[in-house]
Amino acid sequence: MYIHYHNCIFPQQTALPGGLDTLLPADGNQLKAIEPSYDGVPPGLLRRMGKAVRMGTGTALPLLKDLRPDGIIIGTANGGMEDCIRFLNQIIDYDEGMLTPGNFVQSTPNAIAGQLGLMTRNQCYNITHVHRGLSFEQALLDAAMLSMEHPHRNYLVGAVDEIADYNYNIDLLGGWYKKHPQQNKDLYEANSPGSIAGEGAVMLVVNGQPEEAVARLRAIRSWHGTNPDDARTNIEAFLQQYTDGNIPLLITGENGDNRLLPYYETCEKLLPGSAVGRFKHMSGEYPTAAGIALWLTCRLFEGEALPHHFYKKGKENTAGPVLIYNTYKGEQHSLILLSKK
């Protein structure tokens, strides 16, 4: 499968050249997305949208100006959660009386894909994958299988998640976020449990045609498990099956949680000659954050230098494949292999 166009909204500046060089700080252990003006979204619709729907549509519409995709495939774990909680609270506040329909309509994970279908009058394949930390990876697999069957068709693939107070508080109580103030510039030196919360949206236009493609998705693998030895076995098998051992750049989902370091260190040790990059000090931690790593890889393949704070070791090299390894809460793991062609 080949990636032709991409767009992103996340907590760092993407509109200006070199905008990623300046690392914007977290606020209260949260990295909130920088939202644009959403010029392509009618104001009447915009004010009724929840944040996840705004980010999803705002990221996708610039890619759909001159393109009608044959499918809209979105991966999200918590999209629409904020509106869902608002609607449930209204049931209590209004004693099951006259409720606001907007919050109800926008309260389900498929609201993003549905809104895009309605706004672009697209009646083609429309689906949302909700698999927690593997939602985006399952959306990629869906698109890859469709591209194999119909190489000439275009598909919009996305990853969207927001910081909802409800989910943030549950994960904070569960120990997945730092309990003390943490600056994202020092995230990897914290040596403590938990990370910082993030959010964002990534959209890709993909098909099975290599002409003028930005990147090629060569392989993807996902698995469940909490044992670092299982991670080693899966990574070794993946490398043996899909690569010749030459991986110039490894991008990991290291997020400052010292409980997850064994997984990432295992992967790094299996690729001792690779440069290593990290991105969650820019995006924060959220279920579909792997989409940010893929988007950064596309920018790298287009010749844009990634910021110095992205690299943990080594120097950038765009000549060979890039491997992305991410784990969500040490339970869900994924490997994504990309190359320029």
Side-chain angles (χ1 to χ4, degrees):
M1 182 175 76
Y2 296 88
I3 301 169
H4 289 262
Y5 305 103
H6 55 86
N7 197 17
C8 176
I9 293 174
F10 83 132
Q12 304 301 319
Q13 181 58 255
T14 62
L16 301 175
L20 296 178
D21 293 335
T22 302
L23 182 64
L24 301 182
D27 181 13
N29 288 358
Q30 296 183 358
L31 277 166
K32 296 187 176 180
I34 300 175
E35 297 186 78
S37 58
Y38 299 118
D39 293 332
V41 184
L45 286 176
L46 188 63
R47 64 173 175 263
R48 292 178 174 85
M49 291 180 178
K51 190 171 187 179
V53 181
R54 288 201 307 270
M55 291 193 299
T57 55
T59 308
L61 287 178
L63 303 180
L64 303 181
K65 286 182 178 180
D66 302 312
L67 175 73
R68 180 181 176 83
D70 297 284
I72 297 173
I73 307 168
I74 303 297
T76 182
N78 300 320
M81 181 61 69
E82 192 68 31
D83 281 286
C84 181
I85 300 304
R86 288 176 184 170
F87 178 73
L88 294 176
N89 287 334
Q90 283 182 9
I91 294 176
I92 298 173
D93 294 340
Y94 298 140
D95 194 23
E96 301 185 23
M98 297 296 292
L99 307 177
T100 304
N103 290 131
F104 173 74
V105 172
Q106 308 278 355
S107 67
T108 55
N110 65 347
I112 302 162
Q115 188 70 70
L116 283 170
L118 289 170
M119 292 179 67
T120 59
R121 297 183 180 181
N122 189 309
Q123 298 179 5
C124 296
Y125 185 66
N126 190 297
I127 193 168
T128 301
H129 292 269
V130 187
H131 305 276
R132 298 177 64 229
L134 295 177
S135 301
F136 177 58
E137 289 80 353
Q138 298 305 310
L140 285 176
L141 281 173
D142 191 357
M145 290 188 291
L146 288 168
S147 295
M148 290 177 64
E149 295 178 3
H150 309 287
H152 295 281
R153 295 183 181 180
N154 296 305
Y155 299 96
L156 178 74
V157 185
V160 186
D161 271 308
E162 63 182 337
I163 298 175
D165 290 340
Y166 176 79
N167 277 6
Y168 176 80
N169 290 332
I170 287 180
D171 283 339
L172 180 63
L173 292 172
W176 294 109
Y177 297 132
K178 304 289 187 188
K179 294 183 179 180
H180 303 288
Q182 175 66 57
Q183 287 299 318
N184 51 321
K185 65 182 179 65
D186 303 318
L187 181 63
Y188 306 118
E189 285 73 45
N191 193 27
S192 61
S195 185
I196 56 177
E199 62 184 6
V202 172
M203 292 289 169
L204 314 167
V205 174
V206 304
N207 61 33
Q209 299 298 307
E211 292 80 10
E212 300 183 3
V214 173
R216 177 186 177 189
L217 177 67
R218 300 181 65 93
I220 184 169
R221 173 177 291 192
S222 63
W223 70 93
H224 291 73
T226 57
N227 190 334
D229 290 336
D230 291 339
R232 174 184 292 276
T233 300
N234 277 279
I235 296 169
E236 286 179 337
F238 183 88
L239 293 174
Q240 184 176 4
Q241 182 176 359
Y242 296 110
T243 77
D244 58 3
N246 177 31
I247 303 293
L249 176 60
L250 167 67
I251 302 178
T252 73
E254 187 177 338
N255 65 354
D257 189 330
N258 58 6
R259 298 169 297 181
L260 305 183
L261 270 177
Y263 302 103
Y264 296 119
E265 290 175 347
T266 294
C267 191
E268 290 178 27
K269 290 176 182 176
L270 291 173
L271 295 166
S274 302
V276 179
R278 303 175 293 194
F279 63 95
K280 287 184 180 173
H281 63 295
M282 294 188 281
S283 68
E285 178 65 285
Y286 61 95
T288 55
I292 300 297
L294 195 153
W295 172 75
L296 288 169
T297 303
C298 289
R299 291 182 66 136
L300 181 65
F301 286 160
E302 288 179 321
E304 181 171 341
L306 298 181
H308 66 88
H309 55 75
F310 167 82
Y311 291 96
K312 180 179 181 179
K313 72 169 188 177
K315 298 179 180 179
E316 66 183 41
N317 185 337
T318 61
V322 173
L323 179 65
I324 300 170
Y325 170 52
N326 186 57
T327 180
Y328 182 64
K329 296 184 176 180
E331 300 171 350
Q332 296 176 294
H333 310 258
S334 68
L335 292 164
I336 302 174
L337 182 65
L338 299 159
S339 66
K340 291 188 73 169
K341 288 294 175 67

